[in-house]
Amino acid sequence: MSRKLLIDIHTHLYLPRYAQLLRARSQIPRITTLNGEERLVILAGEAATGRPVGPSYWDRDAKLRFMDTHGIAISIVSPANPWLDFLPPAPALQTCEALNSDLEEYCATSPEVELGGRRRKRLYGMGYLPVVPGQEVGGVCAAVEALGKLPHIKGVILGTQGLGKGLDDPALLPMWESIAKAGLVVFLHPHYGMPPEVWGAQENGHVLPLALGFPFETTTAVARLILTGILDKLPALKLLLAHSGGALPVLSSRLASCIAHDPVAASRLAHDARYYLGRMWYDAVAYGPEELAFVVPTRGTDRLLCGTDHPFFPPLKGEEMWMSVTENLDAVENAPGWSEGEKEGVRGGNAVELFGL
Ligand code: 5CU
């Protein structure tokens, strides 16, 4: 494994206050107890027994140990799904403020590391937004403004439900404007996948919702967002896409061509769809060098950044090194035709640039 600078921009947590919230619930999302063991149940269609959950989700020392084991110098942590999506508007606002304050504290009191001759924290964060059905967009903008004042918060994590009508809802324009103004990175992340019935009756565990449902959700949400023309209106908006942008890199020319053949959609955009995809950033959580190569031709390696998806995908046999991490690092190492400098950028340099570390 490389000993060069490694920064993890896709790594999650449930803050202790959030875990408590899930423990108090009797419906999904929830943390329940089965035979004395805590279990996490968050996905639609997931068995009521869920999967094991423990300190790797909320304990900062566990996060730092994981980072040390895998040679990660700095992590930009983001709350794991489903964020505040299930709360009514007023509790979402209050909980958002409290959790973002917890997240700032979590990062501000983390150990330091030297980076380019300067001392840096090992943990920075991307915070919550109270984007839930029925919320006034003004409340969301106020949360963005508050986040922009927290010194260790570098962005926001955003799901796809919006205020109930998705991210292409015109009512969200003030939110995008305030995020761009605050200079925060938007980490777009899936949660809902596809309707459970598309996966059929055979029991396949989490395989299909995670392998296909998550990336398809991102693909659809981002295509819809592009089609609003938001990136023409807000050139400063920084969008970072989870799981290497889902299917978008491989569908980009098809999307561009379908738009070019549709007078209504085409008239809304100043550029070809590939231009907008080239304006976004992508995590390198694709698990294979060939798949990373799909992301690169139009995007360039300077828009790819390493991620682990910790604490999800733990090793089944408790191995110290997580396969979900080493597979992604090997993919960068073996990406066809990349120079050493480009690989170093993907491992850490591009994150320094994007997040202003
Ligand atoms: O394994 C999972 O369910 C997940 C999840 O919910 N969120 C995520 O980011 N990765 C894996």
Side-chain angles (χ1 to χ4, degrees), residues 9-350:
I9 58 87
H10 188 160
T11 178
H12 297 300
L13 85 169
Y14 290 134
L15 288 156
R17 187 192 300 270
Y18 187 89
Q20 276 304 101
L21 183 66
L22 294 190
R23 285 187 189 105
R25 289 176 55 81
S26 55
Q27 291 179 342
I28 293 184
R30 66 185 299 218
I31 291 176
T32 182
T33 301
L34 189 72
N35 300 328
E37 186 195 53
E38 287 204 308
R39 315 278 301 183
L40 178 69
V41 196
I42 51 171
L43 301 178
E46 184 168 15
T49 47
R51 86 282 303 257
V53 65
S56 62
Y57 283 80
W58 46 75
D59 180 19
R60 193 178 67 180
D61 287 340
K63 178 72 80 186
L64 289 164
R65 273 197 302 280
F66 166 83
M67 289 166 63
D68 290 341
T69 301
H70 296 90
I72 297 164
I74 296 177
S75 290
I76 318 275
V77 294
S78 49
N81 50 298
W83 316 287
L84 307 173
D85 284 21
F86 53 91
L87 292 178
L93 283 177
Q94 287 151 11
T95 312
C96 180
E97 193 180 341
L99 286 169
N100 284 339
S101 163
D102 293 350
L103 183 60
E104 168 62 21
E105 172 83 4
Y106 175 100
C107 300
T109 56
S110 70
E112 292 186 341
V113 64
E114 190 172 310
L115 181 66
R118 299 166 70 191
R119 303 299 292 169
R120 286 280 169 245
K121 291 290 173 192
R122 291 195 69 191
L123 297 168
Y124 292 89
M126 293 191 269
Y128 287 95
L129 287 183
V131 184
V132 297
Q135 190 69 272
E136 293 288 333
V137 75
V140 179
C141 294
V144 171
E145 230 175 279
L147 268 178
K149 293 186 183 136
L150 299 178
H152 299 88
I153 300 298
K154 301 287 181 186
V156 298
I157 185 159
L158 196 59
T160 63
Q161 78 160 347
L163 303 173
K165 295 182 184 163
L167 297 180
D168 54 358
D169 182 353
L172 285 173
L173 180 59
M175 174 191 81
W176 299 117
E177 288 171 336
S178 59
I179 293 173
K181 187 165 166 219
L184 294 167
V185 173
V186 179
F187 185 26
L188 268 181
H189 195 288
H191 169 67
Y192 298 96
M194 308 282 289
E197 57 271 20
V198 305
W199 307 129
Q202 176 171 267
E203 175 50 66
N204 296 309
H206 292 145
V207 171
L208 296 173
L210 293 180
L212 307 182
F214 268 30
F216 289 174
E217 178 187 348
T218 305
T219 303
T220 314
V222 175
R224 283 172 54 180
L225 193 56
I226 287 173
L227 283 163
T228 64
I230 192 76
L231 286 167
D232 292 323
K233 285 193 195 85
L234 298 174
L237 189 60
K238 296 180 200 164
L239 300 174
L240 166 63
L241 308 187
H243 314 119
S244 301
L248 283 166
V250 77
L251 293 177
S252 57
S253 296
R254 183 172 176 81
L255 178 63
S257 182
C258 288
I259 294 172
H261 287 89
D262 186 301
V264 175
S267 69
R268 258 188 260 130
L269 302 181
H271 300 275
D272 180 283
R274 286 162 287 208
Y275 164 85
Y276 303 107
L277 292 170
R279 288 262 316 277
M280 299 180 189
W281 285 261
Y282 299 78
D283 72 23
V285 182
Y287 303 94
E290 293 81 7
E291 287 74 12
L292 285 184
F294 279 133
V295 188
V296 162
T298 51
R299 259 64 64 191
T301 55
D302 57 345
R303 288 186 176 251
L304 264 178
L305 302 91
C306 267
T308 61
D309 219 343
H310 178 259
F312 295 104
F313 304 111
L316 291 184
K317 294 187 182 142
E319 294 91 334
E320 201 187 7
M321 299 298 287
W322 289 33
M323 185 175 96
S324 50
V325 178
T326 54
E327 272 183 332
N328 279 312
L329 291 178
D330 288 347
V332 174
E333 181 61 38
N334 298 317
W338 294 7
S339 69
E340 261 321 299
E342 286 177 312
K343 291 176 191 174
E344 277 176 30
V346 175
R347 289 185 195 114
N350 299 342

